[in-house]
Amino acid sequence: MSLYSFGLEPLSCHAWNKDKTQLAVSPNNNVVSIYQKNGKEWDKTQELTEHSGRITGKATTALFKRNLKTHLFKRDGVWKPTLVLVRINRAATCVKWSPLENKFALGSAARLISVCYFEKENDWWLSKHIKKAIRSTVLSLDWHPNNILLAAGSSDLDCRVFSAYIKDIEDKPGPTAWGAKMPFGELLLEQKDCGGWVHSVSFSPSGDQLALVTHSSSLVVVDAAHGKEATPLTTDRLPLMSVLYVSPTEIVAAGHDCVPYQFSYQGPGQLSFVKKLDIPKQASKGSMSAMQHFRNLDKRATDDDMNDLNALHQNSITQLRVYSGERARIEKYSSVSLDGAMVVWEFKVTVIKGCLVHRTAVK
């Protein structure tokens, strides 16, 4: 089991470097802590304190203020900030690098999306705005595998897919199931009234399906390969806050229930709950250690374990991230929670009598 505790503060977001030897987490404030893997432990190597507002997303770092800093890793092993003028007058709320990492998108409370890219000639970051049809704060973003299309969920209860094609830095894209004409800012999907704030969105490995979770405890899959038909599934659980496609048909989502759940989409009208993905904690039969005694006093003002959830995470899961594997077959994914812990989960695929069976375990 790979469960790591980073203190008593809640973790709002996290991000990995390419080889997964470094981890960036934010304890729900204006600080980003950088950890370096050392065997089975994580050692803090640096704190990024340049932000003045609460950090709300991390790919660069999105923050609860009006400008953005993207941190570049220098040869001396230190992350150093570069300012990006995103030209917004409200808080930045979410951020996402494109698959080719030549641009990133920033959602904000200014009812727009800033698509930022680096201009080599002048050695600076520029941004272009997508404003069409957005009527409220942008809460979530995800890139299509083609590096062009961008999905956005917002607090106006709608989910949209835009073209984020920037002709200055990339070739003209070919047609997709979402549409053929893709000038910058083109609206290719507007899924209206999803039932609640759209907390998270995720494209499938092929890019033909889009999964989204809302504050109404619903999961919705929009299938561009079948006329952009939407298949909703309302659960009897607490709202889901993060969603992730882990294979062409399997989806993992997590939120206020403190555990990840697996769902399966087999086509229009065929979206179903599969199972809960967690290993219940084993009740301790021995006496409580002194460390556990004082940890309970500090966190809950009590010295007993009676209020522990029967789960690895002890509070709402705020974010899921890919840890390893190809997009079409994710092998491991990570989660962070308001309990200050991170868990790395292993998603296994086995074949039994010609049928694919998906199993998840804690790694």
Side-chain angles (χ1 to χ4, degrees):
M1 180 202 316
S2 292
L3 187 151
Y4 305 96
S5 178
F6 293 94
L8 301 177
E9 297 297 325
L11 299 182
S12 55
C13 49
H14 72 304
W16 299 96
N17 70 337
K18 185 175 182 179
D19 61 6
K20 305 301 185 293
T21 59
Q22 288 191 321
L23 171 67
V25 297
S26 177
N28 205 38
N29 56 23
N30 67 321
V31 176
V32 178
S33 298
I34 306 295
Y35 289 86
Q36 180 77 36
K37 193 167 187 179
N38 183 13
K40 295 183 178 181
E41 302 298 326
W42 290 92
D43 297 332
K44 185 186 290 189
T45 59
Q46 188 178 353
E47 282 193 346
L48 310 179
T49 59
E50 290 84 0
H51 295 306
S52 60
R54 183 172 69 87
I55 294 168
T56 56
K58 203 177 286 91
T60 50
T61 48
L63 53 149
F64 212 75
K65 59 178 286 188
R66 299 178 185 180
N67 286 322
L68 181 81
K69 290 187 176 74
T70 177
H71 287 82
L72 305 177
F73 190 64
K74 303 297 183 179
R75 290 184 179 179
D76 56 3
V78 177
W79 292 88
K80 297 182 179 179
T82 299
L83 185 66
V84 182
L85 297 178
V86 292
R87 299 181 295 119
I88 56 177
N89 58 6
R90 295 292 187 274
T93 52
C94 53
V95 64
K96 190 83 171 183
W97 276 105
S98 68
L100 297 181
E101 299 182 354
N102 60 346
K103 55 187 176 180
F104 62 88
L106 178 80
S108 73
R111 297 185 296 178
L112 58 82
I113 301 168
S114 298
V115 180
C116 306
Y117 62 98
F118 189 71
E119 188 181 69
K120 293 183 179 179
E121 293 181 0
N122 295 309
D123 192 30
W124 60 18
W125 286 86
L126 300 178
S127 65
K128 299 183 71 172
H129 286 172
I130 296 175
K131 300 180 180 179
K132 186 181 297 184
I134 302 174
R135 298 186 298 276
S136 190
T137 301
V138 178
L139 300 177
S140 53
L141 297 166
D142 194 41
W143 287 92
H144 188 279
N146 71 354
N147 205 68
I148 300 297
L149 302 185
L150 180 66
S154 68
S155 59
D156 61 8
L157 316 186
D158 294 350
C159 179
R160 301 173 180 86
V161 174
F162 298 99
S163 169
Y165 165 58
I166 298 177
K167 62 181 181 180
D168 295 339
I169 63 170
E170 49 200 350
D171 297 331
K172 186 177 180 179
T176 70
W178 298 96
K181 294 183 179 180
M182 287 181 278
F184 181 85
E186 182 74 8
L187 180 63
L188 301 173
L189 170 75
E190 187 171 27
Q191 185 66 34
K192 288 183 171 293
D193 195 11
C194 296
W197 289 8
V198 182
H199 289 302
S200 182
V201 292
S202 178
F203 275 109
S204 65
S206 68
D208 289 348
Q209 292 80 35
L210 176 68
L212 58 104
V213 291
T214 73
H215 202 69
S216 61
S217 301
S218 297
L219 169 68
V220 181
V221 175
V222 181
D223 196 333
H226 292 85
K228 301 178 183 177
E229 183 175 343
T231 301
L233 177 66
T234 300
T235 72
D236 58 358
R237 295 164 178 82
L238 295 177
L240 301 165
M241 299 299 293
S242 188
V243 65
L244 184 67
Y245 254 102
V246 292
S247 79
T249 61
E250 305 308 300
I251 301 166
V252 172
H256 292 298
D257 270 341
C258 313
V259 297
Y261 296 112
Q262 181 181 341
F263 300 86
S264 183
Y265 176 75
Q266 303 295 331
Q270 301 180 66
L271 177 61
S272 59
F273 171 77
V274 178
K275 61 182 177 181
K276 170 183 172 181
L277 303 176
D278 200 347
I279 298 176
K281 294 178 64 177
Q282 297 296 321
S284 176
K285 297 181 180 179
S287 59
M288 186 185 303
S289 67
M291 176 67 73
Q292 186 63 42
H293 174 83
F294 287 108
R295 183 180 289 122
N296 287 343
L297 283 174
D298 197 12
K299 293 181 72 171
R300 298 194 297 267
T302 178
D303 61 357
D304 63 55
D305 253 349
M306 296 301 293
N307 293 325
D308 276 2
L309 297 176
N310 192 27
L312 292 173
H313 281 301
Q314 294 296 296
N315 209 327
S316 300
I317 294 175
T318 55
Q319 189 183 54
L320 300 173
R321 287 274 192 186
V322 175
Y323 182 83
S324 66
E326 300 296 326
R327 183 156 188 160
R329 184 181 170 183
I330 292 174
E331 297 171 353
K332 297 179 183 179
Y333 60 94
S334 58
S335 61
V336 291
S337 166
L338 296 181
D339 62 3
M342 179 196 71
V343 176
V344 176
W345 309 82
E346 185 174 357
F347 193 82
K348 295 182 178 180
V349 180
T350 58
V351 179
I352 300 178
K353 293 182 180 180
C355 299
L356 283 177
V357 179
H358 300 267
R359 298 186 294 111
T360 293
V362 180
K363 179 67 175 176

